[in-house]
């Protein structure tokens, strides 16, 4: 049977480490504060925001909550971000996506100063990642690197194939695996002979957004399989982009859904907030 990469356990470890660090920082008079902005009342966003605030409370990070009505204008949102950018007590600013249609997401992301861009979505953060400089890294791919490292899986020299090229998962994932000296291929919806490419992977990351699409036909025997997808199946049960029952017997390690990549995203957001406060001092 494969090694089950336990994201629940690893994210709990990271949160414990951060809790200790925040307590030590507090003794030196350094506090950590995250501003969380939600526009509208999308129920999924409300759950994500709630989980982020809960994680803050557990670790000892102050969270400021801004729940703005759906009809908030872009100017009003940008004005709030401008105010938070200028506040010395705020270390991180998070705007929960997606935003209502009348607001330009790119303009909002660009408005957050890179020093407080704890989601790692600002073009400057992405550019820094691209040229190997310091900056905040998108939380889900950063979490996947932690999962691999803390599970003793070597990346250097490995064939790494990513399915998906989104700005928040696929592309930063590729850059991070490259930074760890992996040999990286990105595949996407226009890739020809996808299975042939994915079968080369020692480490296969599925961020395709299609429930259970990745069966064992896509996987080399003994590969490490990371499943980023989150879906609800017909029985309202969570599943990933990978057909777990089909793939698990042929791979050497695999992340389950739930309990794999999912819990790592919030842990890395908390990590970025703590880092932001530490860097400021
Ligand atoms: P996205 O829809 O932005 O991107 C999907 C990518 O898959 C695209 O680049 C597309 O080219 C590629 N693709 C689509 N169909 C394909 C096909 N048939 N063959 C090959 N490539 C194909 O999605 P995303 O935001 O990157 O998210 C991907 C998945 O990960 C979703 O299920 C999402 O819910 C999940 N997700 C999970 C977390 C987490 O915290 N675990 C975070 C972000 C996203």
């Amino acid at each position: 049977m494969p090694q089950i990469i336990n994201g629940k356990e690893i994210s709990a470890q990271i949160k414990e480490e951060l809790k200790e660090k925040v307590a030590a920082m507090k003794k030196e008079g350094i506090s950590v504060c995250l501003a969380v902005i939600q526009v509208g009342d999308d129920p999924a966003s409300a759950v994500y925001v709630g989980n982020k605030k809960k994680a803050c409370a557990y670790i000892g990070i102050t969270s400021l909550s801004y729940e703005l009505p759906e009809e908030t204008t872009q100017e009003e949102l940008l004005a709030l971000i401008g105010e938070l950018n200028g506040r010395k007590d705020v270390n991180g600013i998070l705007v929960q996506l997606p935003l209502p249609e009348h607001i330009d997401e790119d303009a909002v992301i660009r408005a957050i100063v890179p020093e407080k861009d704890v989601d790692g979505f600002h073009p400057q953060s992405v550019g820094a990642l691209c040229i190997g400089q310091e900056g905040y890294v998108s939380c889900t791919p950063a979490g996947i690197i932690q999962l691999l490292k803390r599970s003793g899986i070597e990346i250097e020299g490995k064939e790494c194939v990513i399915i998906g090229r989104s700005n928040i998962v696929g592309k930063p994932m590729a850059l991070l695996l490259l930074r760890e000296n992996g040999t990286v291929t990105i595949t996407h919806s226009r890739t020809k002979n996808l299975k042939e490419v994915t079968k080369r992977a020692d480490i296969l990351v599925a961020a395709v957004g299609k429930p259970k699409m990745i069966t064992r036909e896509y996987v080399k025997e003994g590969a490490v399989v990371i499943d980023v997808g989150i879906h609800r199946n017909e029985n309202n049960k969570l599943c990933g982009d990978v057909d777990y029952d089909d793939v698990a017997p042929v791979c050497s390690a695999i992340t389950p859904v739930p309990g794999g990549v999912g819990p790592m995203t919030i842990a890395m957001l908390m990590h970025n907030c703590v880092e932001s406060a530490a860097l400021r001092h």
Side-chain angles (χ1 to χ4, degrees):
M1 279 310 279
Q3 174 186 356
I4 313 294
I5 301 174
N6 191 336
K8 218 170 148 188
E9 215 169 273
I10 295 173
S11 67
Q13 248 171 39
I14 292 174
K15 284 195 224 154
E16 284 311 314
E17 290 164 15
L18 290 172
K19 195 174 177 179
E20 276 176 33
K21 196 165 174 182
V22 168
M25 285 164 72
K26 272 201 183 133
K27 282 189 190 143
E28 290 175 38
I30 305 167
S31 56
V32 189
C33 173
L34 171 69
V36 183
I37 306 172
Q38 188 190 348
V39 186
D41 47 15
D42 175 57
S45 291
V47 171
Y48 292 137
V49 164
N51 287 341
K52 286 167 190 175
K53 287 195 276 194
K54 236 191 267 167
C56 281
Y58 180 75
I59 290 166
I61 297 175
T62 306
S63 64
L64 304 177
S65 190
Y66 297 88
E67 282 154 25
L68 309 180
E70 180 86 16
E71 55 276 11
T72 303
T73 64
Q74 182 164 319
E75 289 64 38
E76 286 167 333
L77 179 57
L78 293 179
L80 172 61
I81 293 172
E83 182 202 316
L84 295 168
N85 279 338
R87 273 179 61 169
K88 286 210 166 70
D89 61 323
V90 173
N91 309 108
I93 303 171
L94 181 143
V95 180
Q96 185 64 44
L97 302 178
L99 288 167
E101 265 178 20
H102 64 277
I103 298 180
D104 174 1
E105 255 174 38
D106 286 338
V108 170
I109 290 169
R110 275 197 308 273
I112 299 170
V113 286
E115 301 77 53
K116 299 187 182 186
D117 172 39
V118 285
D119 252 341
F121 294 164
H122 192 286
Q124 188 171 315
S125 308
V126 180
L129 173 62
C130 197
I131 58 175
Q133 289 181 356
E134 288 296 314
Y136 297 110
V137 176
S138 179
C139 299
T140 302
I144 291 171
I145 296 292
Q146 285 301 312
L147 280 182
L148 292 169
K149 286 189 169 173
R150 289 174 185 247
S151 304
I153 294 164
E154 209 182 333
I155 303 169
E156 184 161 328
K158 295 287 171 61
E159 286 279 350
C160 305
V161 178
I162 300 143
I163 318 175
R165 58 173 164 184
S166 70
N167 287 341
I168 61 165
V169 187
K171 282 183 203 147
M173 187 73 257
L175 291 166
L176 283 176
L177 289 165
L178 188 61
R179 189 191 263 186
E180 299 297 330
N181 300 315
T183 301
V184 180
T185 305
I186 305 183
T187 65
H188 47 78
S189 53
R190 311 277 177 92
T191 297
K192 296 211 169 80
N193 305 322
L194 181 63
K195 287 178 192 163
E196 275 173 34
V197 184
T198 58
K199 275 211 139 173
R200 293 208 304 259
D202 300 312
I203 299 173
L204 180 63
V205 180
V208 63
K210 302 237 153 66
K212 294 191 179 184
M213 176 180 141
I214 306 306
T215 55
R216 64 172 68 186
E217 288 161 35
Y218 290 81
V219 180
K220 178 171 81 174
E221 178 115 28
V224 173
V225 178
I226 306 292
D227 189 355
V228 186
I230 308 179
H231 314 275
R232 286 212 178 262
N233 70 10
E234 56 285 0
N235 306 321
N236 209 28
K237 258 185 79 183
L238 287 177
C239 72
D241 290 344
V242 175
D243 185 339
Y244 185 91
D245 293 335
D246 190 53
V247 169
V250 299
C251 62
S252 63
I254 187 165
T255 59
V257 178
V261 173
M264 295 302 290
T265 302
I266 290 185
M268 297 318 289
L269 173 70
M270 298 296 112
H271 169 269
N272 284 352
C273 291
V274 175
E275 198 76 342
S276 169
L279 282 175
R280 211 188 154 83
H281 294 265

